[in-house]
Amino acid sequence: MTHYRTIADLLDLHGKVAVVTGAGKGIGRSTALRLAEAGAAVVISDIDESAAHEAATLITQSNGTVAVIHADISLVADSERIARFAIENFGRLDILVNNAGIFPAAPLLEMSEALWDKVIDINLKGAVFAAQAAAKRMIAGGHGGRIINVASIDALFPTGNLTAYDASKGGLVMITRSLAKELGQYGILVNAVAPGGVNTPGARQGAAAIMGVSADTVDLSQFPVRGVLGRAADPDEMARVVLFLASDLSTYVTGSLIVADGGYLIV
Ligand code: NAD
């Protein structure tokens, strides 16, 4: 029998180093804040440098440990740079959260090759090569690790007009299982989260575009959203699921998808 560990100990990430992609805003920012609160040193990587620095300031103000790298996750070379940056700054890499993603709507009949390529390059290729770069460091460190992919409910149920996005997220769920199978021998657990509607800058922008209004005027917390709970999630509600998968609360979970959709799939 394993020795008893308290809940506080199981959630404690002191001594661990986490990389969160797209951590400047939305779900990524909330996730970075929670991982830092649990004690991890966090690398914030984002293509939006000012948002990344804003997120980092929030962590510093709460006495957390953080470093920022400006990187475009669709570039394989940037995945390598991020992993190297984590090692150079903090000496190790334990947790990768593949969160960066875009979700531009485009009906099939209007979808361009450029849009398809961009969505797949960021959401799918970016996640795969970030995982490759991180896994190399985790294996070299000999301490196992966690890779957490932020997929979407769209991997399981298409919203419509999101062909490229749905393909990227469906692919991400299968890659989660594939990588879990390959990397388990090194003690690296790979899982995914499938959020439903989350009140983030990206989602507000998407809703505003559909409504033809400015994104600043949209507050998704005020909208009825499909699902049993009838509301959009706060980004922190996704961060808490990621925290579970990053912590020792989930040592026997790998190759899994946690659906956090407020009951979207059952209405
Ligand atoms: P968001 O647009 O609010 O934030 C995304 C962040 O990723 C931004 O800071 C952006 O600058 C960054 N980013 C975009 N392209 C990048 C690139 N090429 N390289 C590095 N960083 C990049 O989005 P969000 O709603 O927080 O979404 C985060 C993840 O959650 C995405 O993968 C998205 O598909 C997924 N998701 C969101 C929802 C939702 O309702 N918001 C639902 C399901 C899944």
Side-chain angles (χ1 to χ4, degrees):
M1 210 172 96
T2 52
H3 79 283
Y4 182 82
R5 294 174 63 190
T6 62
I7 291 170
D9 181 43
L10 290 166
L11 275 169
D12 186 5
L13 297 180
H14 282 95
K16 308 267 190 207
V17 177
V19 166
V20 184
T21 68
K25 299 194 275 287
I27 296 170
R29 177 187 286 202
S30 293
T31 298
L33 287 168
R34 282 297 188 183
L35 295 177
E37 185 185 344
V42 177
V43 172
I44 290 191
S45 123
D46 206 293
I47 201 170
D48 181 339
E49 211 166 356
S50 72
H53 283 288
E54 267 177 39
T57 302
L58 294 174
I59 291 178
T60 313
Q61 284 168 349
S62 324
N63 296 319
T65 305
V66 65
V68 170
I69 180 166
H70 179 235
D72 177 349
I73 208 62
S74 68
L75 305 174
V76 176
D78 276 16
S79 283
E80 262 302 306
R81 262 195 329 111
I82 295 167
R84 226 181 304 127
F85 180 82
I87 303 293
E88 282 164 9
N89 278 267
F90 299 124
R92 54 190 286 154
L93 176 45
D94 301 275
I95 299 157
L96 167 69
V97 184
N98 273 320
N99 165 78
I102 58 168
F103 31 94
L108 175 68
L109 301 185
E110 292 161 26
M111 186 179 68
S112 66
E113 183 182 358
L115 183 135
W116 170 271
D117 285 346
K118 189 168 181 197
V119 172
I120 298 295
D121 282 357
I122 295 174
N123 296 7
L124 189 56
K125 188 180 92 176
V128 171
F129 284 96
Q132 184 192 61
K136 282 182 192 167
R137 275 69 185 189
M138 291 170 185
I139 292 166
H143 46 63
R146 304 294 172 93
I147 297 173
I148 299 142
N149 296 322
V150 180
S152 169
I153 207 65
D154 265 67
L156 305 171
F157 186 96
T159 301
N161 296 334
L162 285 168
T163 302
Y165 182 73
D166 292 357
S168 73
K169 296 300 184 177
L172 193 54
V173 169
M174 184 48 78
I175 275 158
T176 299
R177 300 171 68 193
S178 175
L179 297 187
K181 203 164 190 169
E182 268 193 63
L183 299 175
Q185 62 184 308
Y186 305 108
I188 301 172
L189 311 184
V190 188
N191 292 290
V193 181
V198 187
N199 189 5
T200 64
R204 287 194 290 276
Q205 217 165 22
I210 291 165
M211 293 186 300
V213 297
S214 145
D216 311 338
T217 62
V218 177
D219 178 1
L220 292 181
S221 66
Q222 303 302 316
F223 283 24
V225 167
R226 182 191 147 129
V228 172
L229 301 185
R231 64 170 177 83
D234 185 90
D236 185 55
E237 293 181 283
M238 298 304 126
R240 289 180 235 155
V241 180
V242 177
L243 176 62
F244 165 74
L245 291 171
S247 77
D248 278 357
L249 287 172
S250 59
T251 45
Y252 203 60
V253 183
T254 195
S256 283
L257 172 67
I258 298 186
V259 174
D261 69 346
Y264 184 98
L265 289 181
I266 52 171
V267 292

